[in-house]
Amino acid sequence: MLWDPSVLDSEEGIRFWGRSIPECQEVLPTAPGGSEMLPEAMFWYLLTGRVPSEAESKQFQEELVERSELPTYVEKVLDSLPKTLHPMTQFVIGFASQYTAGMKKADYWVPALEDSLDCVAKSFTIAARIYNNKYRNGASDMPAIDKSKDLSYNFANQIGFGESEGFVELIRLYNALHTDHEGGNVSAHTAHLVGSALSDPFLSYSAALGGLAGPLHGLANQEVLRFIIGMQKELGDHASEDKIVEFIWKTLNSGQVIPGYGHAVLRKPDPRFMALQQFGVKRKEVAQDPIFKYVDQLYKVAPGVLTEHGKTKNPFPNVDAASGSLLYHYGLKHFEFYTVTFGTSRSMGALAQYVHDRILGLPIERPKSLSMEALKKLVV
Ligand code: NMX
Ligand code: MLT
C-alpha cells in the first residue's frame, strides 16, 4: 500500500515525512505561551510534507476552527442518541450523518481536500458534543467556539477543561502524536480502502472509526485504564513490583491480553508512549499521581512477564499504555471516551493520505481472495 506522510520502523518507531517525534517537537509551531506541537501544524505537515511557518500554522488553525461548527441537523442527530450508546458508536454516527455528494474522479481531490478539512475540524466539535450529551447536562450548555483559539483549546473548553493549562497542552500533544502511524493500521487502512471506492471523507472516516473502536486497536486506551483501576482496587495505591507481576500473570492466565502492550509492527517501546511519559514526568503533580506511577511500574515489569509468557512478538508498551493515565489525571475520568480523543487525532493522518490518494488518482483497492483449497495448493 502507498502511504507517504508517515513510515513506521519496527525498531525506531514512527517518522513523519522522515522526522522522528522529537524532531517534529523541535520544528513544529506551538500555541502562544505553550510548549507542545500543535495538531493543526502536524496536519499541515502531513498534507504538504513541509513544516509550516508560525504564520502558516496560525492561518491554517483559523481556517480549521472556522470550519468546526456543526450543521444543525448533525447536532439534532447527536442530541437524539440514547445516552447509553458507547461514545465511539455515537462518533461513527456523527460522521456518517455528514455525507454530501460524490463527483468525477479526476476532479475529486479538490472537494476531497475541502471535505477532509471540514471532517477534521468538525471531529473536535462532534466529540465535545457527545461528551456533553453523555456525561454532562446536555449540549445546550456548551460554550461557543472561540475563533481566536486552536482546536484543542476549544475541545477542552467545550468539555469543561478550558481553564486547565496542563490539560489543554496535553490535548495538543495527544492530538499531534496520534495523527498517523503509516497506512496499515486498522483505522487508516479502512479510510484508505473505503475512500478507494470514492466514498467521501466523512463516510470513509466513519468506517475507520468503526475499526478504531476495537479493543485490539484504539479501544485499548480505554482498556488500559480499566486494567489499572482494577489493579488499584485490588492492590491499593502503592503496590510492590512483585504484587504487580502477580496481577499481570493472573490476567494472562485468565486468557486476557495485557492492554497497551504489544504491536503488530513495533519491536521496541513506542516513542509516542515515551513522549507522553515525558509530558507527565515534566509536571510534578502528574508524576506523583498513583495511576501515572502505575503506568511507570508496569513499564518496568510487564516486558519481562510478557517475554517469559512467550507469546507476544513485542513485549513493550504501545501508545495506549500511557495516554489514558494523563487524561485521567486531569479529571477526564470517563475512560469509555478515550478512544474518541484518539479518533479526533487519527482523522488528520487518515484524511491527509486520503487527499494524496485522490491527487494521485489511485484505483479501487480490491485484493483477490483465495479459498482454503487454493491456499493449500500454494504451500503443499
Ligand atoms: N498480552 C498478552 N498476549 C499478547 C499481547 C499482550 N499484550 N500481545 C500479543 N499477545 C499474544 C497474541 O494474542 C497472540 O496470541 P495467540 O497466538 O494466542 O493469538 C500472540 O501473542 C502473538 O501476537 P503478536 O504477533 O505479537 O501480535 P499481533 O500482531 O497479532 O497483535 C496487538 C498486535 C497490538 C493486537 C497485540 O499485541 C495485542 O492484542 N495487544 C494488546 C491490545 C493493545 O494494546 N492494542 C493497541 C495497539 C495500539 N493501538 O493503539 O492500536
Ligand atoms: C496505531 O497508532 O494505529 C497503532 O499503533 C496500531 C498500528 O500501528 O497498527
Side-chain angles (χ1 to χ4, degrees):
M1 183 198 312
L2 172 83
W3 202 271
D4 249 354
S6 72
V7 175
L8 182 62
D9 180 85
S10 63
E11 301 293 308
E12 195 191 42
I14 196 71
R15 277 184 181 266
F16 303 100
W17 290 113
R19 282 190 171 86
S20 67
I21 288 172
E23 285 164 357
C24 289
Q25 288 174 307
E26 195 65 37
V27 295
L28 289 178
T30 61
S35 58
E36 303 300 338
M37 55 186 171
L38 280 168
E40 290 90 335
M42 176 61 95
F43 186 29
W44 164 290
Y45 180 46
L46 293 174
L47 278 165
T48 64
R50 195 167 63 75
V51 174
S53 66
E54 293 279 346
E56 286 167 334
S57 175
K58 185 160 185 298
Q59 193 189 6
F60 192 47
Q61 172 190 306
E62 284 164 3
E63 163 98 40
L64 289 170
V65 173
E66 193 61 46
R67 290 168 182 262
S68 63
E69 310 261 10
L70 299 180
T72 313
Y73 73 94
V74 175
E75 293 180 348
K76 282 190 183 151
V77 169
L78 290 169
D79 295 351
S80 69
L81 299 175
K83 278 191 166 192
T84 46
L85 211 55
H86 191 283
M88 279 304 280
T89 313
Q90 299 195 35
F91 209 23
V92 171
I93 293 169
F95 272 94
S97 60
Q98 297 262 332
Y99 170 72
T100 48
M103 66 183 305
K104 254 188 5 211
K105 186 173 171 182
D107 303 332
Y108 204 91
W109 75 268
V110 180
L113 175 60
E114 281 291 315
D115 281 357
S116 294
L117 298 184
D118 270 350
C119 194
V120 168
K122 291 181 195 322
S123 76
F124 286 80
T125 324
I126 294 175
R129 200 163 189 98
I130 293 169
Y131 187 86
N132 279 278
N133 279 333
K134 192 163 167 75
Y135 305 113
R136 299 177 90 205
N137 292 331
S140 52
D141 292 344
M142 267 169 77
I145 290 164
D146 178 346
K147 299 206 169 156
S148 70
K149 296 272 179 46
D150 57 294
L151 291 168
S152 305
Y153 168 82
N154 274 297
F155 166 74
N157 193 39
Q158 289 199 313
I159 65 168
F161 294 91
E163 301 288 300
S164 167
E165 177 273 331
F167 184 82
V168 175
E169 278 284 87
L170 170 64
I171 292 297
R172 288 176 181 138
L173 174 67
Y174 186 108
N175 272 292
L177 285 177
H178 286 74
T179 46
D180 209 22
H181 215 228
E182 70 169 38
N185 66 77
V186 171
S187 49
H189 184 196
T190 304
H192 175 78
L193 169 69
V194 177
S196 82
L198 297 189
S199 302
D200 78 12
F202 290 101
L203 290 175
S204 304
Y205 197 61
S206 173
L209 284 172
L212 195 70
L216 298 188
H217 189 21
L219 204 79
N221 59 8
Q222 158 187 321
E223 294 309 300
V224 168
L225 248 286
R226 199 191 297 286
F227 177 82
I228 296 180
I229 299 290
M231 190 164 90
Q232 190 187 33
K233 272 204 185 114
E234 199 167 309
L235 307 178
D237 270 356
H238 309 284
S240 67
E241 285 182 3
D242 288 350
K243 287 279 170 208
I244 296 174
V245 167
E246 253 175 55
F247 190 84
I248 298 173
W249 273 116
K250 199 168 83 176
T251 307
L252 289 170
N253 291 336
S254 70
Q256 295 173 62
V257 297
I258 305 303
Y261 281 76
H263 200 274
V265 178
L266 281 166
R267 295 294 174 261
K268 284 278 162 64
D270 188 336
R272 299 172 297 175
F273 169 84
M274 308 306 272
L276 289 167
Q277 281 289 81
Q278 277 158 21
F279 178 94
V281 169
K282 272 192 297 193
R283 290 166 170 78
K284 206 167 152 200
E285 77 286 0
V286 183
Q288 285 164 354
D289 186 307
I291 299 287
F292 184 78
K293 280 188 176 167
Y294 268 151
V295 170
D296 197 44
Q297 277 182 293
L298 278 169
Y299 178 37
K300 288 199 180 99
V301 298
V305 179
L306 285 167
T307 304
E308 196 180 329
H309 185 242
K311 270 191 166 184
T312 173
K313 295 190 191 74
N314 174 39
F316 299 110
N318 60 59
V319 67
D320 297 320
S323 56
S325 71
L326 293 168
L327 296 171
Y328 197 84
H329 167 80
Y330 285 107
L332 184 52
K333 305 225 163 173
H334 305 285
F335 41 84
E336 275 197 339
F337 189 74
Y338 292 176
T339 312
V340 174
T341 58
F342 193 155
T344 54
S345 173
R346 184 50 55 90
S347 67
M348 293 181 255
L351 294 175
Q353 182 62 40
Y354 178 101
V355 175
H356 286 281
D357 289 351
R358 300 292 80 77
I359 290 171
L360 295 167
L362 293 192
I364 191 161
E365 184 181 321
R366 204 307 188 186
K368 172 83 182 84
S369 63
L370 295 176
S371 67
M372 186 62 93
E373 221 31 59
L375 284 173
K376 280 184 192 159
K377 279 187 194 143
L378 283 179
V379 292
V380 175

